[in-house]
């Protein structure tokens, strides 16, 4: 049997390698490596794809989140409500902006923030909600925007894992005040290096982000505020420009892969399968199951994972420790047991190999090995 990686970016490159090489060569010979027409074109294309008027490219998804917070004047003394079940970058951006992340427990069905638990977490310091569309699954943005409007809160969408996902027919990143995207290679739209973008329909906000990402510079060498250096380079923009037209196709392929897993795993009783919310279009950055067979044993999932590895199947654990219990956030004073759903689920989750090019035979091998491991 072949070994199966969690994701294989080489297969995608084999498909589009020639186009990418030509685009890269064109940039190399143009002599314009930072900024310039390629970056501008990509910004416009990405904004059009997302269904907003403004797209601003930057150096990473992390920077996109930080720039969004800064542009919205969120900082010291402010609270931002978010999920504890996400990559560190979400909360890190809040901390870097000088604000305080407030973690709300998750919905066990979707792994996303439990919207019903947001209102009780709102205080007079709350400025914004930062929902994360985790694993490619859109948050119920209709319900979330209702709460935000009722309490006059800003909404910054962390779209890093869900480029192309939709809620109620609208692309995520176009529903809140600002959408933040990552083009890290393993995301649904990934470059060959770091990259990110911010989307919005607010021209003033977009202009502010453009300043902040270039050292707070309004006119050349005139600085209004303390910014950062966060530019998308022209090589990444050229590569992303080649890839963007393929994104819908790749997301459809991911949806097919998810459907296959679903069919193959349906009869297995010791696990819980991920579901797509009605009203949303998920783009499956991950296919994450819960292993509930021995939920009293916190090590059982890790044991299954090591069994799978012996069969040559590489699975991943996103995420083993929720953010409210991370050592770096000890100062926030969260106690074990405070967010019980996420604290239980982090011992159960297992992400199976998921990428558009995985074959049905490989999926069958994954499922076969998983069933075998569960029955040991
Ligand atoms: C990847 C990711 C980020 C950060 O993106 P980078 O481009 O790696 O900085 C932020 N939030 C989530 C949920 C992510 O998965």
């Amino acid at each position: 049997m072949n070994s199966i990686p969690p994701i294989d970016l080489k297969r995608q490159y084999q498909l589009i390698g020639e186009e990418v090489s030509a685009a890269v060569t064109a940039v190399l010979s143009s002599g314009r490596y930072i900024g310039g027409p390629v970056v501008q074109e990509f910004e416009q294309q990405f904004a059009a794809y997302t269904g907003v008027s403004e797209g601003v490219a930057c150096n990473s998804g992390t920077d996109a989140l930080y720039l969004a917070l800064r542009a919205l004047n969120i900082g010291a003394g402010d609270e931002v409500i978010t999920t504890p079940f996400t990559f560190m970058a979400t909360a890190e951006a809040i901390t870097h902006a000088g604000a305080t992340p407030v973690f709300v427990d998750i919905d066990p069905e979707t792994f996303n923030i439990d919207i019903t638990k947001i209102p009780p977490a709102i205080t007079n310091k709350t400025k914004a909600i930062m929902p994360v569309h985790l694993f490619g699954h859109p948050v119920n943005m209709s319900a979330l925007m209702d709460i935000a409007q009722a309490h006059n809160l800003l909404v910054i969408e962390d779209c890093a894992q869900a480029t192309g996902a939709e809620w109620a027919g609208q692309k995520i990143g176009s529903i809140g005040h600002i959408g933040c995207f990552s083009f890290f290679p393993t995301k649904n739209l990934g470059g060959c290096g770091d990259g990110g973008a911010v989307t919005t329909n607010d021209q003033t906000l977009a202009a502010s982000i453009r300043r902040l990402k270039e050292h707070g510079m309004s006119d050349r060498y005139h600085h209004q505020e303390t910014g950062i250096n966060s530019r998308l380079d022209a090589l990444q923009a050229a590569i992303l420009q080649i890839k963007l037209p393929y994104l819908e196709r790749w997301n459809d392929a991911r949806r097919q892969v998810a459907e296959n897993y679903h069919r193959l795993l349906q009869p297995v009783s010791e696990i819980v399968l991920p579901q797509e919310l009605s009203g949303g279009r998920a783009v499956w950055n991950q296919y994450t199951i819960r292993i509930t067979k021995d939920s009293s044993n916190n090590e059982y999932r890790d044991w299954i994972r090591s069994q799978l590895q012996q069969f040559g199947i590489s699975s991943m654990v996103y995420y083993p420790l929720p953010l409210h219990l991370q050592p770096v956030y000890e100062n926030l004073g969260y106690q074990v047991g405070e967010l019980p759903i996420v604290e239980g689920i982090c011992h159960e989750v297992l992400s199976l190999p998921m990428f558009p090019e995985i074959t049905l035979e490989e999926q069958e091998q994954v499922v076969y090995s998983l069933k075998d491991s569960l029955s040991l």
Side-chain angles (χ1 to χ4, degrees), residues 59-63 65 86-87 89-90 132 134 158 160-161 181-184 187 194-196 319:
N59 187 254
S60 68
T62 309
D63 281 1
L65 292 164
T86 176
F87 181 53
T90 311
V132 179
L134 198 73
D158 183 338
Q161 296 186 10
F181 292 84
S182 166
F183 304 129
F184 185 80
K187 310 292 167 129
D194 276 307
Y319 296 89

Side-chain angles (χ1 to χ4, degrees), residues 266-295:
Q266 199 82 266
V268 185
S269 59
E270 291 101 347
I271 58 176
V272 177
L273 304 181
Q275 305 282 351
E276 182 175 50
L277 274 188
S278 74
R281 178 180 187 264
V283 292
W284 301 96
N285 185 252
Q286 300 295 336
Y287 188 89
T288 303
I289 61 169
R290 287 168 59 194
I291 301 193
T292 47
K293 182 180 175 186
D294 190 356
S295 42

Side-chain angles (χ1 to χ4, degrees), residues 1-5 11 307-314 359-373:
M1 287 205 287
N2 297 322
S3 66
I4 303 176
R11 294 190 205 179
Q307 285 302 306
L308 283 176
Q309 198 61 60
Q310 300 214 337
F311 285 111
I313 314 287
S314 299
T359 65
L360 183 57
E361 290 68 34
E362 287 173 314
Q363 288 194 267
E364 282 165 351
Q365 193 184 324
V366 171
V367 171
Y368 175 84
S369 309
L370 179 63
K371 283 181 182 166
D372 244 32
S373 307

Side-chain angles (χ1 to χ4, degrees), residues 102-114:
V102 172
F103 298 110
V104 163
D105 213 347
I106 62 167
D107 172 352
E109 303 286 314
T110 62
F111 303 124
N112 281 330
I113 192 167
D114 182 342

